Amino acid sequence: MAGVAAVPPGAVNVSDRKTTAAPAGRWENLEALGRAVRANRPPGGPPPQGRATRGRGRRVRRALVIVLAVLLVVALVGLFFGWRFVNHVVGKNAQSVENLTPARAGSPTNFLLVGSDTRAGLSDQELHRVGTEAVAGQRTDTIILVHVSPRNKKAVMVSVPRDLKVNIPGHGTDKINAAYAFGGPALLVKTIEQNFGVPVNHYAEVDFAGFLKVVDALGGVRLCNSTGHRLDDRFANLHMAPGCQDMNGVQALAFVRARHIDSDFGRIGRQQQFLRAVMDKVASKGNLVNLPKLVRIANIVSDHMKTDDTLTTTEAISLARRIGRLDSGSVDMRLYPSASAGIDPSNGVSYVKPLPEAPVLMKALAGDARELPPVGLPAGKGVTLAGTRLVVLNGSGVQGAALRAAEGLRQYGLQVVQTGNAQSPTGEASTLTYPPAMAQQARLLSFLLGRQVKLVQSSGQAGAGALTLTVGSSYQVVAPSAG
């Protein structure tokens, strides 16, 4: 066309720069070129490994620092409010309790947990629902010794029968729950320490109202009647068919309070079943992530629980961490080894008496043993020293050694069926030989005798039906202490 110069192939018309958009990908190519120049490499070539890696490392480190900073802030805020909340729960109803033994840092801690039958905090309507009425004063409805071991990372809960016959300092022989009536928490603590040989470091007390309201706040718990027949106790307002059912606070309280359907031991079994149900309910995923519900439950507990004033917030948090997790698997529940003694003819009172192996369990707890003897297990499991057949042989060559050993062990209820000399001298060593069928009894007796005796399993049917203790010259006679 005349007047218009031909445009050579590849050239760009000036007017096109103003009116035509850049071809697709042009800006991306320019950006790639710029990055290549900055990185000192040809376009499309691989990046120098050192610089790129250092760049990525810096970005990762910056991200980690930001994340850690955020987590630290969250943790500090949570710690601050958590500390204040635990301090509120622990200190709200703190009271002075005499005769407690101060706990050493890092050592096991023993709590005396008491359930009080005070009706304080229950309205007339709630009293009617529970099937009781306002009663002046308060008594110990439940007594549990809780041993928390930092080394073993678990807790042991030993339930003590209310009717256990003990010596109450300054009041003579009586049921253990009378100690509270005579002298409150201080005398109960002293009675436990003197009769069980275990120091009590802290004291906690929960009442009826707290029990009922915690169960309702949890949405109820599932409890089971495994007796095969209906449970009816009009005094506790319990009416429960065989099988398992979800129970609210009133029903659960009736379940653990009932005393007229079996015995004190059946009642303790129901209490332990309830405690396991509550721990499992609290530890369930839905409740652990439900912070408002946990706060509400903790507030209820703080309103209805009394603790000693030596329990610090630091110690409370530390104790919770030592248990590891709140579930029934981390808590070993036991019954103080005891049995019904019937009615005492001197006063017509029905007592529960300690079994011979009771001090064995208490000694293991006092020593924070890694393994506890097989006694006081739930549902009547475990073994007893009472009536266990025992042969005592003298391997020391010292005259009368077997007789002295036998006399000490008879006081634990062991049935010594034979004493005599061993076939060959054993020197200083002492052994306890047992047939396979009596492994549990041998293990229990070994807890009593300690490391001075070596356990040996007999072969075949040798010694069937009895344990055989062969005492050496280093054997120390084991017998109950006076009183």
Side-chain angles (χ1 to χ4, degrees), residues 5 50 66 86 91 125 133 169 173 299 315 319 334 346 387 425 447 474:
I66 293 171
V86 173
Q125 183 180 4
E133 58 185 13
T173 301
N299 278 325
E315 192 170 14
L319 289 172
R334 302 285 179 115
S346 65
F447 271 97
S474 64

Side-chain angles (χ1 to χ4, degrees), residues 190-273:
K190 190 173 184 179
T191 301
I192 292 286
E193 290 186 331
Q194 291 193 5
N195 285 269
F196 294 176
V198 175
V200 177
N201 310 116
H202 293 292
Y203 176 89
E205 181 181 313
V206 183
D207 60 33
F208 269 12
F211 180 104
L212 186 152
K213 293 174 182 179
V214 164
V215 174
D216 284 342
L218 282 171
V221 292
R222 190 163 185 81
L223 300 171
C224 300
N225 170 13
S226 56
T227 63
H229 60 267
R230 184 177 177 84
L231 298 178
D232 286 294
D233 185 346
R234 64 183 181 87
F235 296 99
N237 199 24
L238 174 66
H239 307 284
M240 185 180 184
C244 300
Q245 64 183 66
D246 295 324
M247 290 187 159
N248 60 27
V250 171
Q251 294 166 328
L253 185 57
F255 182 81
V256 301
R257 285 187 62 216
R259 296 192 66 191
H260 300 276
I261 53 177
D262 43 28
S263 65
D264 209 15
F265 300 106
R267 186 169 180 267
I268 287 176
R270 289 190 295 279
Q271 290 173 353
Q272 292 184 341
Q273 182 190 157

Side-chain angles (χ1 to χ4, degrees), residues 179-363:
Y180 188 97
F182 291 146
L187 185 57
L188 182 59
V189 167
K190 190 173 184 179
T191 301
I192 292 286
E193 290 186 331
Q194 291 193 5
N195 285 269
F196 294 176
V198 175
V200 177
N201 310 116
H202 293 292
Y203 176 89
E205 181 181 313
V206 183
D207 60 33
F208 269 12
F211 180 104
L212 186 152
K213 293 174 182 179
V214 164
V215 174
D216 284 342
L218 282 171
V221 292
R222 190 163 185 81
L223 300 171
C224 300
N225 170 13
S226 56
T227 63
H229 60 267
R230 184 177 177 84
L231 298 178
D232 286 294
D233 185 346
R234 64 183 181 87
F235 296 99
N237 199 24
L238 174 66
H239 307 284
M240 185 180 184
C244 300
Q245 64 183 66
D246 295 324
M247 290 187 159
N248 60 27
V250 171
Q251 294 166 328
L253 185 57
F255 182 81
V256 301
R257 285 187 62 216
R259 296 192 66 191
H260 300 276
I261 53 177
D262 43 28
S263 65
D264 209 15
F265 300 106
R267 186 169 180 267
I268 287 176
R270 289 190 295 279
Q271 290 173 353
Q272 292 184 341
Q273 182 190 157
F274 166 78
L275 288 172
R276 290 186 185 279
V278 168
M279 286 189 287
D280 288 340
K281 189 71 177 281
V282 174
S284 65
K285 184 177 180 180
N287 283 320
L288 285 180
V289 298
N290 190 337
L291 186 58
K293 178 184 281 190
L294 291 179
V295 170
R296 186 165 67 253
I297 292 170
N299 278 325
I300 293 172
V301 171
S302 69
D303 286 337
H304 297 278
M305 179 179 71
K306 298 177 182 178
T307 62
D308 65 274
D309 57 6
T310 65
L311 178 63
T312 64
T313 303
T314 304
E315 192 170 14
I317 294 174
S318 177
L319 289 172
R321 291 180 59 203
R322 287 174 187 174
I323 293 177
R325 62 187 188 279
L326 182 62
D327 62 30
S328 58
S330 63
V331 179
D332 184 355
M333 291 191 180
R334 302 285 179 115
L335 166 67
Y336 183 78
S338 50
S340 175
I343 298 176
D344 188 331
S346 65
N347 54 19
V349 177
S350 178
Y351 289 106
V352 168
K353 65 176 181 180
L355 289 174
E357 57 271 13
V360 183
L361 176 60
M362 293 298 104
K363 183 179 179 181

